[in-house]
Amino acid sequence: MGSFHQSWRQLLLLSSLFLLHSLTAYPAVSGIFYTLCRNPGTYTANGTFEANLSHLISSLSASAPVTGFANDTVGLGPDQVFGLAQCREDLTEEQCGVCLVAGVEEVTRLCPYKKAAVMWNETCHLRYSNQRFFGKLRGEKLIRWITGNVTSDPNFDRILLGLLDGLTARAAVSPRMFATGKTKVDVYDLYGLVQCTRDLALDVCGQCLKTAIGDVQRYCEGKQGAWVIEGSCDVRYGVFPILQRLRRRRPLNPMQEDDRRRIKDPS
Ligand SMILES: *[C@@H]1O[C@H](CO)[C@@H](O)[C@H](O)[C@H]1NC(C)=O
Ligand SMILES: *[C@@H]1O[C@H](CO)[C@@H](O)[C@H](O)[C@H]1NC(C)=O
Ligand SMILES: *[C@@H]1O[C@H](CO)[C@@H](O)[C@H](O)[C@H]1NC(C)=O
Ligand SMILES: *[C@@H]1O[C@H](CO)[C@@H](O)[C@H](O)[C@H]1NC(C)=O
Ligand SMILES: *[C@@H]1O[C@H](CO)[C@@H](O)[C@H](O)[C@H]1NC(C)=O
């Protein structure tokens, strides 16, 4: 297995800090998905809301893989449901579909009868709610880092910040709201990725990424890698190639069952 694989394992297994704002629950970490059921509101079995949600999810699962993003609204009044699905920009249509199918399964299992839920993994993202959220900044924070410190270069944090600021400047003028890049720090190749959900306006995307980078500075000083989710956007960096696995068309999920079981649930 390549270094990316190793590093991703480290990210999952060694690190662990979750910060949550405006939320009452910790995310469920089950296997490879982070899931939050954000809203205590519930719907009843076999009712109109459930029918509309199910319609929404099929529609998103069918259309998101085509361009990597879809949002939709289904139903009316109290039975109205809003949702979006997004895949990482470099995924193929098929990879996107596979990720969303697994994510939907997970959300359905972990958030039964909840009127709102959100799911992230490294490659895809799904959100639905009975409240209209398109275009707005969502408030969840979820921060994970690798415990290993970069000790060799006192300029690491400054160079990292320069990389992430540069990526933000690119993402916040591109309709895909996505950018990746690479730089050199001492002996390391340092890789970065920033992205926003595509329902945001470009300036709101920039604002979201600035907040995320602020959290990188605040919580991830000197860390070899981290993933900071800021509700509507996320920032990832590492001293390892964070996209390599997909570019090389390795299997999407090389983790073994053993590894999955060792992932800690923070709650
Ligand atoms: C919902 O529909 C299913 C399948 O038709 C049925 O088995 C179940 O009992 C129904 N549940 C309620 C609460 O009506
Ligand atoms: C919402 O669900 C109800 C009940 O199944 C259905 O009659 C209605 O057409 C749905 N709305 C939409 C827009 O699909
Ligand atoms: C990394 O650095 C932080 C603060 O400088 C320290 O608390 C932590 O123990 C270090 N971690 C490792 C794995 O060296
Ligand atoms: C999708 O989101 C945009 C905001 O980015 C909104 O204007 C539009 O109405 C949404 N589309 C649907 C079908 O809900
Ligand atoms: C995200 O979920 C998909 C679908 O299950 C999976 O193939 C992929 O490996 C996951 N990503 C990570 C980094 O675990």
Side-chain angles (χ1 to χ4, degrees), residues 39-105:
N39 177 322
T42 55
Y43 59 83
T44 49
N46 303 338
T48 306
F49 189 93
E50 185 177 61
N52 292 339
L53 175 59
S54 146
H55 177 148
L56 174 81
I57 285 177
S58 333
S59 135
L60 294 175
S61 305
S63 49
V66 181
T67 61
F69 174 78
N71 68 326
D72 204 357
T73 306
V74 175
L76 291 171
D79 294 315
Q80 193 167 39
V81 57
F82 306 88
L84 69 76
Q86 182 159 330
C87 287
R88 206 173 67 193
E89 152 78 19
D90 60 310
L91 256 63
T92 65
E93 193 172 327
E94 193 195 344
Q95 288 167 331
C96 178
V98 166
C99 188
L100 287 174
V101 165
V104 162
E105 221 168 78

Side-chain angles (χ1 to χ4, degrees), residues 141 143 210-220 228 230:
K141 275 187 205 294
I143 303 173
K210 279 209 174 73
T211 308
I213 291 169
D215 283 338
V216 169
Q217 288 179 275
R218 203 162 306 130
Y219 301 110
C220 310
V228 173
E230 203 70 50

Side-chain angles (χ1 to χ4, degrees), residues 20-28 35-38 267:
L20 295 168
H21 291 255
S22 11
L23 285 172
T24 52
Y26 283 88
T35 306
L36 290 169
C37 312
R38 309 189 57 220
S267 55

Side-chain angles (χ1 to χ4, degrees), residues 4 8 12 31-33 95 98-100 102-103 121-124 245 251-255 260:
F4 171 79
W8 175 248
L12 288 171
I32 48 192
F33 294 96
Q95 288 167 331
V98 166
C99 188
L100 287 174
N121 96 339
E122 189 212 12
T123 49
C124 68
R245 188 174 43 177
L252 267 173
N253 185 7
M255 284 206 301
R260 293 201 199 181

